[in-house]
Amino acid sequence: MRHKYFRKTVRLVWKVCGIRVLLACGINIIDGLLPLTSIILLQSIVNELTSILSNPNYDFDSILVLLIIQFILLVVTSMIGSIDSINSANMEAKLDYYVGLLVIQKSISLPLAYFEDAEFYHHLDRITKGGYGNKLLSPIKTMLGIIKSSITMISLFSFLWMIHWSLGILSILSAFPTLIIQTKFGRERFQLIRFQTPAAREANYTSALLTNRQSAKEIRIFNLGEFFKERWKKRFLLNSRNMLKLNKKQDIARILLDSITALLFGICAYIVVSLLKVGKMTIGEFISTAQGIHSAQASINGISTNLAKIYEINLYLIDLFEYLEYNDEQKFTKETRNLFPSYLQKGIFIKNLSFKYPKSNQLVLNGITIHIRPGEKVAIVGDNGSGKSTLVKCLMGLYQVEKGSVFYDDIDIVNIDNCDLHKNMTAIFQDFMKYAFTVMDNISFGDIHNTHDFELVKRIGIQTGVDDFVKKMPKDYDTLLGKILGEGEELSGGQWQKIAIARSLFRDSKILILDEPTSSLDPLKELEVYEQFNSMTNGKTVIFISHRMAAARMADKIIVLKNGKVAECGTHDDLMFLKSEYYQMYSVQAKWYS
Ligand SMILES: Nc1ncnc2c1ncn2[C@@H]1O[C@H](COP(=O)(O)OP(=O)(O)O)[C@@H](O)[C@H]1O
Ligand SMILES: [Mg+2]
């Protein structure tokens, strides 16, 4: 077990809600002493009652005092319970917020490559399930529970020992079986949850497919409903069957355990009755001893249950802190970081660049060398899977490269502060985002420092053709889009595309990258978009990816990628003259445009 995470948790909880932790400590100490207090009180009351029976001139004052104390004790017990649960709820809420924020912050600062990894998603899924507050509070509550039960146990143990040493020993002995079984099942339960995450994820995903709006159409057209339902049933039942199996095992073990406890209890009862028989015990002592043995066993069970829980909790803490300790993207200090060249003079140099995805042996990019001059319009073409998207992601510093590098003027990309790098470029991806916010938001997200500049949004809206459909909408640029956050407007694929283009142009950056954002348009429409885009980006460096050659024709330079290598590079005329890769692709597609 790695206890360092336990310590970290305590430190974190202390930092977030120190005073409340102290309050909880106080409550648990008082709570721990209550059982002995009530047992001693019970003993006194019973002894007084026996004197009433044997003495006709009994003075009732002393029993009255005892009954009042009993009443106060009851009220205090109930009050403590309420204060404790209010205090816990408060701490939980604070921790939920604080740790939720930490996890979000971490997710923002992790390199993109993590998000390509299924194992990473499983990890994230495990830690975000079921609220952070109660999970993090769990170790503290468990420890306090152990302290409380220990106080109870020690006080009752001393009480029983004073009556007869064997009673003390027997109550301690009954702890061991529980401890062993609880620890074993704590570990098994966590491993089961961990192991079944993929099945649970699939069940959740399938159920989401069946219940969400986006998939509803296809599910009906392709009659997938029943099929997915069966699949969900299988995964769900597999999951719950394993859990039930474990519960059954645990229950059987518990029955065995309870029998041992009952046996020990029986032995204690025999000893107590013997003591009573030989006159070494008053009736009050007899009753309080019976109660004491019972409470001592309960407190020992409490300790062992909590000790076992620590195991389970610690496994969760390892998961959480390992997530929070994932390596962030490289951060530069003021001295070491380079800023992006304020004015790109020589251009972008890709030098002998190679790249492979994590957990894969295949080079997706292999020894690529390209020079892009400032202000040049470059088209990257090639078959699906030839490495076009990967190349531009390397250019944008989203992936760390395997070998070689990218230079902006003379500065190696690895030395450029990522924030500054991204400030100077803009991109539209193949799978661009459709934010369920207003039109204004969707466009102005292109430059988060400038989200109130309505004039600019409007101007770019007009340039990109967004304005044509937005001005017909009820609230103009304040119209909500999509149906996720309310009754927003639905847009067509082409309209979303225009919004995405507007977003990328909203940022005044020197380098623009388009990764087939228009692939869902028909070839002629796509050509039109590119022509329009070209006229709007005069003087800027534009890199666009397409598998449609007519759009490439407009470029100053065309780079043909094949299996991760540069197969050809030159102008349209150069490459047509070569009569090789580009020529063939172009000829095949030429009929689309004639
Ligand atoms: N996240 C990823 N993990 C592993 N392999 C990937 C990933 N993304 C793409 N690939 C692989 O890299 C190759 C190039 O992909 P990509 O750059 O997307 O090609 P293109 O954009 O030219 O269609 C493909 O063989 C693809 O299977
Ligand atoms: Mg691609």
Side-chain angles (χ1 to χ4, degrees), residues 238-274:
L238 177 75
N239 237 359
S240 62
R241 219 173 284 137
N242 286 338
M243 199 42 108
L244 288 175
K245 231 192 255 167
L246 183 69
N247 283 345
K248 197 168 135 197
K249 245 165 79 183
Q250 192 168 3
D251 283 337
I252 292 173
R254 194 171 294 141
I255 292 173
L256 203 75
L257 184 85
D258 285 347
S259 318
I260 297 175
T261 312
L263 184 71
L264 292 170
F265 199 75
I267 299 175
C268 288
Y270 176 78
I271 295 170
V272 172
V273 172
S274 311

Side-chain angles (χ1 to χ4, degrees), residues 165-194:
W165 61 268
S166 63
L167 296 177
I169 302 282
L170 281 171
S171 49
I172 296 256
L173 271 184
S174 66
F176 289 99
T178 323
L179 181 61
I180 293 162
I181 287 181
Q182 297 277 16
T183 315
K184 179 175 147 47
F185 283 104
R187 188 174 56 223
E188 267 187 40
R189 187 173 297 273
F190 184 85
Q191 261 155 9
L192 184 64
I193 292 169
R194 210 179 167 139

